[in-house]
Amino acid sequence: MRFMLVLTYDEAEAAGRPPEPEIFEEMGRFNQAMVDAGVLLAGEGLAPSAQGAIVAFPDGEGEEPTVTDGPFTELKELIGGFWILRVDSLDEAVGWARRAPFRHGERVQIRRVFDPEDFAGVAPDEVMEAEDRMRNQVAEQHGS
């Protein structure tokens, strides 16, 4: 099973507190431990919301989405980074999240990533086949 661990934090609060130098070393050790265990598939930190945008989709048909440039001051918690792990259970994903080197009110949300098999018998066969072709194309494009 794949799980996404999503780091959330209060960006406004963090802005007044520069990262402690040792957090980089601790995060490196945490990430290396996941690599060594063979569970880390991907992981990245995200730039501040001032360098992003939100696209909001309307409720009504025929209306255009609106775009709001960052920073996202109206949001209390923002995503600061993520990891995607391949582990055997939610408990194992929780175990890895508990090891993350955070100490300033950060939170790690854990969500299972759907696999194509989760939709077998629900999605039409032609949609499942098209999804499989797309995944193969993406893998070829990125050499994985």
Side-chain angles (χ1 to χ4, degrees):
M1 287 184 276
R2 292 176 301 154
F3 286 88
M4 177 178 260
L5 283 57
V6 180
L7 165 65
T8 60
Y9 72 109
D10 184 325
E11 187 175 72
E13 183 179 306
R17 184 184 62 245
E20 297 135 357
E22 58 272 6
I23 192 69
F24 296 101
E25 293 175 6
E26 292 172 24
M27 188 60 66
R29 286 192 297 271
F30 174 63
N31 290 336
Q32 188 63 53
M34 290 188 291
V35 169
D36 292 345
V39 301
L40 185 66
L41 299 177
E44 301 292 339
L46 300 177
S49 69
Q51 298 175 31
I54 292 177
V55 177
F57 294 86
D59 290 332
E61 299 242 352
E63 297 178 43
E64 292 293 317
T66 58
V67 177
T68 304
D69 292 331
F72 311 140
T73 55
E74 69 281 1
L75 300 177
K76 177 70 174 156
E77 287 190 333
L78 293 174
I79 298 173
F82 71 91
W83 299 265
I84 297 179
L85 309 182
R86 183 175 304 279
V87 294
D88 293 328
S89 66
L90 174 60
D91 287 342
E92 189 176 353
V94 168
W96 281 107
R98 291 175 63 106
R99 294 174 61 179
F102 300 125
R103 55 187 160 277
H104 294 291
E106 301 90 344
R107 295 168 45 151
V108 176
Q109 183 183 140
I110 303 168
R111 305 278 303 276
R112 190 169 72 82
V113 177
F114 280 129
D115 287 313
E117 301 80 43
D118 293 319
F119 300 105
V122 179
D125 288 342
E126 59 271 12
V127 172
M128 296 294 289
E129 292 165 4
E131 179 76 17
D132 188 50
R133 285 192 302 273
M134 181 184 64
R135 287 177 186 272
N136 289 333
Q137 181 180 359
V138 168
E140 287 175 18
Q141 288 174 340
H142 297 283
S144 43

